[in-house]
Every structure is written in C-alpha cells, then in structure tokens.
Amino acid sequence: MAGLNSSSPASAAPTDELVAAAKAEGHLTVVGLPRDWWGYGDIIDGFKAKYGLCITELMPDAGSAKVINTIRNARDTADPQAPDVIDVGLPFALSAKRDGLLRPYKVAAWEAIPDAAKDPDGYWYGGYYGTLAFEVNADIVTTMPTDWADLASPKYRNAVGLAGNLTSNQAIQGIFAAGLSAAHGNADEAADQGLSFFADLSRRGNFVPIVGGLASLEDGRTPILVRWDYLAATDRERSGGRTRIEIVRPKTGIVGGVYAQAISAFTPHPNAARLWMEYLYTETRAFLNSGYAPADLEGKLARVQHSGTEVYPLFPTQEELDRAREIITNGWGDVVGVQIQCLPCGSPSGIPMVFSEGTIGQRTMSR
C-alpha cells in the first residue's frame, strides 16, 4: 500500500481552539477501521494517548457498504453509536457525498493532498491505495498462480477465496479485476465477465464461499486469497514466519483502488472528528509520508513490476465502479449461485481444506 506523498513543509499542530473543543466533547467514534489496516491500531492509540479522548471502535471489520449504512442509521434514527469518521473505498465516499451523508472539512495540510485524491469541497480525501493481488500460503501451495486464469487449474481445488463479502469494496473490485483480465482489459465487460469467472471457479470446486482472512489462509480453508496487496503484506507481518506467505500480483487484470477518509454529516462529535483528520493529515501526516503522489487516478498511479516491466493498474472511474457494483451484487446469486459465508474465528467450518496441491482433506478447526 502507498500513502499520498508530498514535498510540503513539516507537519503543523492543530489549533488550540480545535483541541479544546474536541476535548470538551471527550469522545470519538470510528467505524470500519481494522487495527491491522494501514497501521490504524497505532494511529488510534497515539491519538487517544495524546488528546485523552475516549474512542469507540465500532465494527472494525465492516465493509464499506455497511460503514455507509451506519451513517444512514444515524440520519434516520437516534443511534447512540453514530459514527464520527469513516474509511471507505472511494466509490462509496463519492456516493455518500451525493446522498448527503458527509460533512465537508479541509485540513490544514489541504494543499499537500493531490487534487486527484480529494474532493474539491472537502467532503473526502484519499489516504492510501493498493492493487488486487493473490495472497498465497506457500506452505500449502507450491506452484504459484501468476494470472487470474491460473486459478481455474485443478491443482487449486478448494483453495481460492475472497477477502470480503459482496458488500465490501475489496470483493467487488476483486471480481471486477478477474473479469477485466477475462475481458482483455475491456472495463465495460469486466463485471459480467467477473461473475462468469467466479461461476466457473465454483463449478470446478476451486472457489471457497467464505470470507477469507489470515486464519483461513493459514489453516488451509482458503490458501489463496484475492486481497489488497497491502493487507496481504500486513498478514505476512502478523504471521511472524509461522506461515510462508507469498504475494503475487497478476499479469493482467491489474486493478487499483483508493480508500478515502470522511466525516459523517451526522457526527455527534464534530470537533473530535476534525481533530482526527488533522492528526492523520497535518500533525502526523500518516497519509502523506509514503509512496508517491497519485497525479492521475486513471492510470498514472502505483506502477507494478512484471518481468522487469512497469505496468500501470487500471483505476476504474466512478461510473464503472457504480455499474460494476450493481451488476455484481444483483447478479451473483443467479450467475455464481453460492452464498459467501462469514464464519466466526475458531469455529468448525465444514469446508474442505487443502493440505498440499492435489490433496483435499477436512478437519475440525482448533482456533
């Protein structure tokens, strides 16, 4: 994953007035911020330690659609756990702005954020981006897939999973990426082709219909995951060497995605929300210090190395993503015909597990 690089001057502190107002509110509610995603655990702890605000970490593993729904609930009901700040895939931020669910605010470091990665009126700002990759348990899978079509091989039976359900930006873009490869780069056909691709994987017995993660990767339920490359890298760090994890970026169908931060239009703690954004972008510059600036989200971002050649991923337009989400979420049941299960950690799954290539077994989960 890369942040949004800037050559602007050193970080600045938020105003005393903002700090005092945020401390008077005394609380911040974040939603959909996994602690192992972009170092959010350290960021949350650092913010809490510095300013002494209580932080509620609401639904840390929620997908972008569910995150946006928490704002709708705050609008329509007196929800005591209304979120203040969110982190969602860019298409969800754009649609949330259109629906009146976001509150504008420009951080002090506004000029350091590239124009292509922020809403001109301050409703959202991109923080980081990545590309879809194959996260592979190399202790189980000894022959690495190199492209999407490889996943249909018999050697990957009961092996391939999505790291997200169909309401998540990650899963939708993963399906889109597979279809983009099958459609030879035609974005207009990518969603339909993606559904056909996963339907074929399911018929072959290669697709495992559970929401995959590090646990299912390590124990053999999903030894190959379609996942953002930066999350795969985080999994490798979390594994601490107990599992050999390889990260393979496919040769074709290379899709990038930007994640954006925003403040809820119905935030109960607006000053704490503003202080959080200043902490991210101005004070610690957590989202401005690594990677390089995305000057063009449609292709001049995040180059990927393949055989010594730099390849630019496709960053789908808002229209392409809206259309893909509608096709995929509405067509999955009819075309693919399997429901993706969200399983609690450590529960017996009943899902066949791969122990080595070509060998399928089953066991009871112990963790």
Side-chain angles (χ1 to χ4, degrees):
M1 169 169 60
L4 303 178
N5 187 36
S6 171
S7 58
S8 297
S11 59
T15 65
D16 292 340
E17 292 80 6
L18 177 59
V19 173
K23 287 185 175 182
E25 291 172 349
H27 198 96
L28 178 75
T29 297
V30 301
V31 60
L33 304 189
R35 284 185 152 259
D36 58 356
W37 186 301
W38 185 246
Y40 267 130
D42 290 339
I43 293 172
I44 290 169
D45 292 343
F47 181 82
K48 188 187 307 183
K50 179 155 191 175
Y51 294 113
L53 275 69
C54 296
I55 299 182
T56 297
E57 298 176 48
L58 185 64
M59 299 185 299
D61 296 319
S64 294
K66 193 169 185 178
V67 168
I68 296 302
N69 281 336
T70 64
I71 301 180
R72 289 196 176 92
N73 291 339
R75 176 192 63 188
D76 299 334
T77 64
D79 189 341
Q81 289 191 309
D84 296 303
V85 293
I86 63 172
D87 176 305
V88 294
L90 181 57
F92 291 87
L94 295 170
S95 62
K97 177 192 173 182
R98 289 200 306 264
D99 293 344
L101 301 178
L102 304 181
R103 173 180 296 205
Y105 176 68
K106 293 184 178 181
V107 294
W110 182 252
E111 296 303 322
I113 304 173
D115 290 342
K118 64 187 178 187
D119 176 73
D121 299 317
Y123 282 90
W124 57 264
Y125 356 101
Y128 52 88
Y129 61 85
T131 58
L132 272 306
F134 306 146
E135 180 181 355
V136 184
N137 182 333
D139 292 328
I140 293 174
V141 179
T142 57
T143 302
M144 295 295 111
T146 62
D147 210 350
W148 293 96
D150 296 343
L151 299 181
S153 168
K155 69 179 67 174
Y156 302 132
R157 185 173 173 80
N158 285 333
V160 182
L162 288 168
N165 59 37
L166 290 182
T167 67
S168 73
N169 186 58
Q170 181 171 212
I172 290 170
Q173 293 214 43
I175 297 164
F176 179 90
L180 187 69
S181 174
H184 306 290
N186 187 331
D188 291 337
E189 298 178 4
D192 289 307
Q193 291 285 345
L195 288 176
S196 297
F197 178 85
F198 276 90
D200 181 61
L201 287 190
S202 182
R203 284 193 298 269
R204 293 172 183 268
N206 290 19
F207 179 61
V208 184
I210 64 172
V211 176
L214 178 58
S216 66
L217 181 93
E218 290 188 317
D219 64 33
R221 282 177 291 176
T222 57
I224 301 174
L225 276 179
V226 177
R227 196 154 175 75
W228 291 119
D229 51 5
Y230 56 85
L231 294 183
T234 298
D235 281 351
R236 186 160 56 190
E237 293 176 6
R238 290 172 58 202
S239 180
R242 66 176 177 263
T243 301
R244 290 190 303 118
I245 295 177
E246 296 288 340
I247 302 170
V248 180
R249 293 173 178 84
K251 293 179 179 178
T252 62
I254 305 170
V255 171
V258 174
Y259 276 75
Q261 286 67 51
I263 297 174
S264 167
F266 314 102
T267 168
H269 312 105
N271 293 298
R274 295 184 186 107
L275 184 61
W276 169 260
M277 293 303 182
E278 295 291 357
Y279 188 76
L280 293 180
Y281 287 88
T282 301
E283 187 177 2
T284 66
R285 301 173 71 82
F287 289 162
L288 294 173
N289 288 333
S290 63
Y292 63 93
D296 179 356
L297 296 186
E298 294 184 0
K300 297 181 180 178
L301 185 61
R303 290 166 290 183
V304 178
Q305 290 284 343
H306 275 306
S307 303
T309 302
E310 289 184 333
V311 180
Y312 290 102
L314 170 73
F315 284 81
T317 66
Q318 175 62 27
E319 292 75 19
E320 288 168 342
L321 287 172
D322 284 347
R323 181 173 179 271
R325 186 168 66 221
E326 181 177 359
I327 290 172
I328 290 168
T329 55
N330 292 333
W332 179 272
D334 290 337
V335 178
V336 183
V338 295
Q339 181 178 359
I340 300 176
Q341 305 172 51
C342 184
L343 300 178
C345 295
S347 66
S349 68
I351 300 292
M353 298 179 183
V354 178
F355 295 110
S356 62
E357 290 183 22
T359 303
I360 307 300
Q362 217 171 16
R363 66 178 174 181
T364 300
M365 295 302 302
S366 60
R367 57 183 173 130

